[in-house]
Structures are given as structure tokens and as C-alpha cells.
Amino acid sequence: MLSIVTLIGLGLTIVTAIPVILQLRGHPRGLYILFFTEMWERFSYYGMRGLLIVYMTQHFMFEDSFASGQYGAFISLAYLLPLIGGLLADRFLGTRKAVGLGALLLVAGHLTMALEQPPAREQLIYEGREYAFVSEGQQNRYKVRIAVDGAAYDIGPAPEGGIAIKDLPEGASLPPVLKRGEFERVVTGRDPFYVSAFYVALALIALGIGFLKSNISTIVGQLYEQGDPRRDSGFTLYYFGINVGALWSTILCSAMAFEFGWGAGFGLAGIGMLAGYAVFRLGKPWLGGRGEPPDPERLARPILGSLNQERLIYLLVLLSIPLVWLMVQRQAVVNSLLIAAACLVLAYFFHYIVTKATRVEAHRLLLAFVLICGSTAFWTFYELIGTSLNQFAERNTQLPSDGFLTVTSSQVQGLVSAYLLVLAPIMAALWTALARRNREPNDPLKFGMAMIHLGLGFLLLVWGAQFADADYKVPLAFLAGLYLLHTIGELMLSPVGLSAMTKLAPTTLAATVMATWFLGSSASSALGAQIAKLTAMETVGGAVLDPAQALQTYVTIFRNVGLGALALGAVLALSSPWLGKLAHKGE
């Protein structure tokens, strides 16, 4: 498992941790606990996410389009449920108890993902006879051949569609070219029990994120008083902790999956989340009473026998698991829920603005809504990292594969986290320095710059496609450049957006507004899944049959995405002087 990726990750972690530790000393002690809790939670999440789309296409042999839709439904649901988790935290549980509940659900979900069946198999049927597709390797080293008369042969696309079998000897029971319509392909060995367990795991993870994600960010905001200049840098340092976990999860979970099987990679993610739960429980005193229930007496008051309000909520969460299990398998239902939730949130926001908000609160909520829309557009394109960009790394990127120099396609996603480890402390210091000089860009301008960087990243990769080799694989440097530009954009938007939500939201609406931020992320996952479907390719035995067509498809979609992101970024940047006034900074 020792590789150049591991050594680089270790070096980056050690070097970048020093300034972070120095900066953390100037922040509330509770930030330490939330820093390490979220670090382990993101270790579990990104370890699972980095493997998910590849696991579905190579292990279960789901078609590209189905896998992308399933991925989108899961991520959408995972970011839709924080709306419920935030509301329950605001009104009943408090954010601390909600985070603890979410952590336990995540542990259960990731460990359930570790249940592994033998891989599904695909067979070709020609004139009544069955021929097995034989696979070997994993991720970008995954290869598929066809077994004919006791030997295995490489396959490729036929000139007019269908399958061409390479180096097939004369007299073989299959012809060297199989045209469309002359054969059938059937997937076998997909055990219904393990498929159901897979969806149970996704349901538990989605519920866990629903209770943990928005609420732990809310506690971070509660550590700082209104107007505290450390708030933005505190969120950026918190974001650094997220990416320590994300970096090591992409390195270790991917390596474990490759060396010991998918179950080992997913199981390691579960162990990481268990460590996060332990840190959060042990660190409760350092939170200084923040995140406690709004009415502890009412929460503990018995309703029926020993069943009080808190236990009733936990019971209802357990009873909701079968419902979430059904929903995570139905993308159309999730999309309908997204639309309904968006309408309800809009109605609630405007009702609050009209009936309860002061003029300043109303303006701030309107700005929060604009920023949420901007983040939704950003994450729609950015979330392709888990689908189309992950598959681009697997299928059309030159990756070293020589012992110590080996890099897997899932590990490439770790570039984002590596960049963040280097850039997050720099950005935190930059925002603080600019704020002291009253020259810090306002939040809408930061969002516009983020979108422009996102678009430039996609266009860089499109330009790099002309340097593809004979196997239609693009040099890794161009994908690395895309992730660098996307990372700069992410740092301009994500920690800034999290901080903005806590600054713009009235106290009584804090967790709900933060949950709405993640509702935007949910919508972006659904939209991103539709874009990913446009890059879906025909696969045989879980492998792409025509890499040339795959490269051309990716280039076309990424060019359109890049140009769209540039246009949206320009609109936000040009509107920033007017939008910035809605924050009523200093009031």
C-alpha cells in the first residue's frame, strides 16, 4: 500500500498542519473538537464517494446512465435531509444531539457498505450459446475480455456498431465481428440481498448526513459573536480539517479497496466515522454549552411511560429508514421532493420576511437566497467530480501504474484535498488581512470569482484533450490543473458561504437557513446527475468499449459546462456592488 501518493499526502499533511495549529490557537477551544469530528466524518464520506460510481459500474455492472442517476439521487437525498435535521435541531434536539445521532447513523451506513458479494458477471449470447466476459483489476486498471473456446480475447468497437474480437483465430465458435442485433448481453450474479443491503447503507448514510452536516456547521458559527473578525478564518480552518479527512480517505480507502476488495475500502470509511463520533462525545465540555436543546425540560418530559420527546424522535428516525431506503432507489421521487421542498422553503422564507423580519433581516435573507442560488449553480458543475470526472480519470486519463508510482482513478480526487491543505490557510490569512484594510471582496464577488475559476478548469481540460495519446488518454497534468482551478473556486465559495449563512440568518432561523444552504447542494446533485447522464457511455462487462467516442463526448459536455460557468460568474461579479449592500455590514 506504500506508494508515492501516500508519501506526498503525508508530507503535505505535516507541512500544512503547522500554520493551521498556530492559527487555531487564536480561536475558541470548541473549534478543535468540531475540526476533528468533521475531519473524520469527511474521511468516511469521501472514502465512500470516491469509490461509489466505479463500484456501481464495475462491481454491480450497472449501466453508466443508471449509475449516474443513482449517484445523483443518493447525493440529492443526503443534502435534502439536512432540512429536516436542521428543523428538528432548531425546535427540539439542539444541534449537539443532532450531530451525535447523525454520526451513529453514518457509522452504521458505512459498515453496512462493507458487506460484499462476489462481483456480478456479464455474458454474451450468440446463436443460443453463452460466452462470459472476463474482468480483472479495478478502477482505471479494470479490463474486460471475452472467453471463447477456452481462451480470453481483447474486445473493441466494431466499425458500424457492435463488438469486434481481437486476434480471434479462424474456426472459432464466434465471428470476429458481432453486429448490433446479432447477440444479446445478460448480467448475472447480482444478488438481490446484497443489492438491498447496498441501498440500506445509502439510506443510513443519507440520514446521518441529514442530522450531522448542517448542524455541525451551525455550532461552528455559534462559537463566534456577531461581528467577530475571526469567523471567516475559523470556517476556513474548519474547512482545512474537512480536507485532511478527504485527502486521506481518497488515498487509503481506494488503496484498501484495490488491495483487499471493495468491502475493505468501505469498512475503513466506517471506522473513520466511529473515530469522529468518539472525538465529538469526549469533547463535549469544550463546546461550552453551545448546541444544547432550546427547551431541555420539554425534551425530557415523558409522553408515554418512559418514552419522552427525545426518545420519540430517535424512534421515528429508525422507523423512517425503510422509507429512505425506498426513496434512494427512485430518482424521480427525490427530484419531486426537491421541488416540493424548494417551494415550501421559499414560502417559509417570504412569510418570515413579510410577517416577522425587520428591514435589515429581510435584506440579509434575500442576499442569503441569492447566494444559495449561486452555490447551487456552482455545485451542479462541481459535483461532476464524483461522476463524469471520476470516470474520465478512470477511462481517458494517463495514470502511472508501476508499483510505487501507481495512482488509481479514485485517488486522483485527492488532488482537490491536497490543494486545499496548501491553499486553505493562505486564503484564511488573506481574507483576514484584506478585512483589516477594508479591502476584502464582498461575498457575491467571491461567488462570481469562484464560478469563473470553475469554468476555466473545464476549458483547460478541453484544451488538453488535443494531447491525448494513441489510447485516447489525456495527460494527468490537465486534470490536475482543472482540480487546482476548481479548488481555488471552492475556497472562494464554500467556507465563505457557510460563514455568510451564519451571519445573514436571524438567530431563530439559523439552523433552518444552514439546512437550506444544503438544500441547494441537494438540487445541484440532481442537476449534476442529469449532466453526467449526457456523458454516459456504452459499457461491456463494466468497461467502456470505445474510448475514442468517450473522449469526444466528455470534451463536448465539458466545453458547454465551462462556458456556462463563465457566463454565470460574470453575472454575479457585475452584480456584486448592489448585492453587497443587502448585507448591511456593520449594522
Side-chain angles (χ1 to χ4, degrees), residues 52-105:
L52 185 56
I53 192 96
V54 184
Y55 177 64
M56 287 192 283
T57 55
Q58 293 184 0
H59 185 77
F60 285 118
M61 291 196 182
F62 294 146
E63 292 292 334
D64 271 14
S65 182
F66 177 83
S68 294
Q70 187 60 72
Y71 178 95
F74 162 66
I75 301 295
S76 295
L77 197 58
Y79 285 107
L80 178 62
L81 290 173
L83 193 61
I84 298 174
L87 286 169
L88 289 174
D90 272 349
R91 295 180 176 275
F92 305 106
L93 287 175
T95 48
R96 183 185 62 81
K97 288 181 180 291
V99 168
L101 172 60
L104 289 176
L105 289 166

Side-chain angles (χ1 to χ4, degrees), residues 7 16 49 92-93 129 140 180 193 202 271 326 349 373 383 464 549 560 569 586:
L7 291 182
T16 56
R49 192 191 76 164
F92 305 106
L93 287 175
R129 292 186 62 178
N140 53 293
R180 293 186 185 277
F193 171 80
L202 294 183
I271 293 171
L326 286 171
F349 262 57
C373 291
E383 268 300 317
Q549 183 186 357
N560 293 337

Side-chain angles (χ1 to χ4, degrees), residues 127-145:
E127 295 184 347
R129 292 186 62 178
E130 296 181 354
Y131 299 85
F133 290 105
V134 181
S135 62
E136 60 182 21
Q138 195 191 82
Q139 300 177 55
N140 53 293
R141 288 167 284 182
Y142 185 77
K143 293 183 179 180
V144 175
R145 297 186 291 173

Side-chain angles (χ1 to χ4, degrees), residues 235-552:
F235 269 99
T236 304
L237 293 171
Y238 168 75
Y239 213 66
F240 177 88
I242 288 175
N243 287 285
V244 171
L247 172 64
W248 282 103
S249 68
T250 51
I251 293 173
L252 298 179
C253 293
S254 177
M256 288 288 288
F258 179 78
E259 295 290 341
F260 305 109
W262 298 105
F266 291 127
L268 181 61
I271 293 171
M273 188 62 250
L274 188 61
Y277 177 71
V279 168
F280 189 72
R281 288 283 295 180
L282 294 174
K284 176 187 172 182
W286 281 21
L287 296 179
R290 294 173 177 85
E292 294 303 314
D295 190 346
E297 293 184 3
R298 185 181 65 170
L299 190 65
R301 190 178 303 140
I303 298 174
L304 181 63
S306 61
L307 184 68
N308 58 23
Q309 196 176 71
E310 181 178 358
R311 292 174 181 172
L312 176 61
I313 291 173
Y314 297 153
L315 178 61
L316 291 175
V317 169
L318 291 176
L319 292 175
S320 71
I321 293 173
L323 176 61
V324 180
W325 175 80
L326 286 171
M327 289 166 55
V328 80
Q329 301 175 59
R330 291 163 173 79
Q331 187 181 7
V333 174
V334 175
N335 290 344
S336 298
L337 287 173
L338 269 173
I339 295 172
C343 292
L344 288 172
V345 166
L346 282 173
Y348 183 61
F349 262 57
F350 286 108
H351 172 75
Y352 186 93
I353 288 172
V354 172
T355 62
K356 298 181 181 180
T358 64
R359 176 177 171 274
V360 171
E361 287 176 338
H363 285 179
R364 286 174 175 169
L365 283 173
L366 286 173
L367 177 57
F369 177 71
V370 171
L371 295 180
I372 288 169
C373 291
S375 75
T376 301
F378 180 90
W379 295 117
T380 293
F381 301 144
Y382 187 95
E383 268 300 317
L384 295 177
I385 188 175
T387 50
S388 299
L389 287 170
N390 195 355
Q391 291 179 316
F392 183 86
E394 172 201 339
R395 298 164 177 176
N396 290 102
T397 303
Q398 298 171 17
L399 298 178
S401 184
D402 183 20
F404 177 71
L405 297 176
T406 295
V407 178
T408 71
S409 57
S410 295
Q411 287 176 333
V412 174
Q413 295 182 54
L415 282 169
V416 173
S417 303
Y419 292 143
L420 280 162
L421 291 181
V422 175
L423 296 175
I426 296 173
M427 294 292 281
L430 175 64
W431 297 143
T432 302
L434 289 174
R436 287 175 184 154
R437 294 168 174 80
N438 293 319
R439 299 183 64 181
E440 183 181 9
N442 62 30
D443 292 340
L445 181 55
K446 290 177 183 176
F447 274 48
M449 292 189 296
M451 192 69 72
I452 289 170
H453 279 81
L454 186 76
L456 291 175
F458 281 109
L459 295 181
L460 175 65
L461 190 59
V462 169
W463 179 66
Q466 64 183 303
F467 301 102
D469 61 16
D471 293 323
Y472 304 99
K473 294 191 174 184
V474 177
L476 176 59
F478 292 99
L479 187 56
L482 173 145
Y483 284 140
L484 175 60
L485 289 166
H486 284 195
T487 300
I488 295 171
E490 181 180 354
L491 278 170
M492 290 178 173
L493 183 140
S494 192
V496 171
L498 289 171
S499 177
M501 293 304 105
T502 63
K503 288 185 292 186
L504 297 173
T507 305
T508 55
L509 217 61
T512 302
V513 169
M514 187 63 73
T516 307
W517 169 267
F518 291 110
L519 175 63
S521 297
S522 177
S524 67
S525 298
L527 294 169
Q530 302 310 309
I531 296 175
K533 286 182 179 181
L534 298 176
T535 66
M537 296 301 304
E538 181 182 10
T539 58
V540 175
V544 166
L545 192 63
D546 190 346
Q549 183 186 357
L551 180 59
Q552 184 56 48

Side-chain angles (χ1 to χ4, degrees), residues 24 26-38 216 219-224 230 234 238 279-280 283-290:
L24 276 172
H27 288 265
R29 290 197 309 170
L31 187 62
Y32 287 79
I33 301 306
L34 303 177
F35 178 100
F36 286 107
T37 302
E38 184 67 351
I216 194 169
I219 300 176
V220 174
Q222 291 170 348
L223 295 175
Y224 302 92
R230 300 175 299 169
Y238 168 75
V279 168
F280 189 72
K284 176 187 172 182
W286 281 21
L287 296 179
R290 294 173 177 85

Side-chain angles (χ1 to χ4, degrees), residues 145 148 151-156 164-170 172 174-177:
R145 297 186 291 173
V148 182
Y153 300 92
D154 292 333
I155 58 176
I165 305 173
K166 302 176 181 179
D167 302 320
L168 191 67
E170 293 185 11
L174 271 179
V177 176

Side-chain angles (χ1 to χ4, degrees), residues 153-214:
Y153 300 92
D154 292 333
I155 58 176
E160 298 180 1
I163 299 174
I165 305 173
K166 302 176 181 179
D167 302 320
L168 191 67
E170 293 185 11
S173 58
L174 271 179
V177 176
L178 296 168
K179 297 180 181 179
R180 293 186 185 277
E182 293 182 343
F183 61 92
E184 295 180 58
R185 291 189 288 126
V186 179
V187 175
T188 61
R190 198 184 285 157
D191 192 320
F193 171 80
Y194 287 98
V195 174
S196 294
F198 169 68
Y199 287 124
V200 168
L202 294 183
L204 288 167
I205 293 170
L207 274 170
I209 292 173
F211 278 94
L212 186 145
K213 189 62 179 167
S214 64

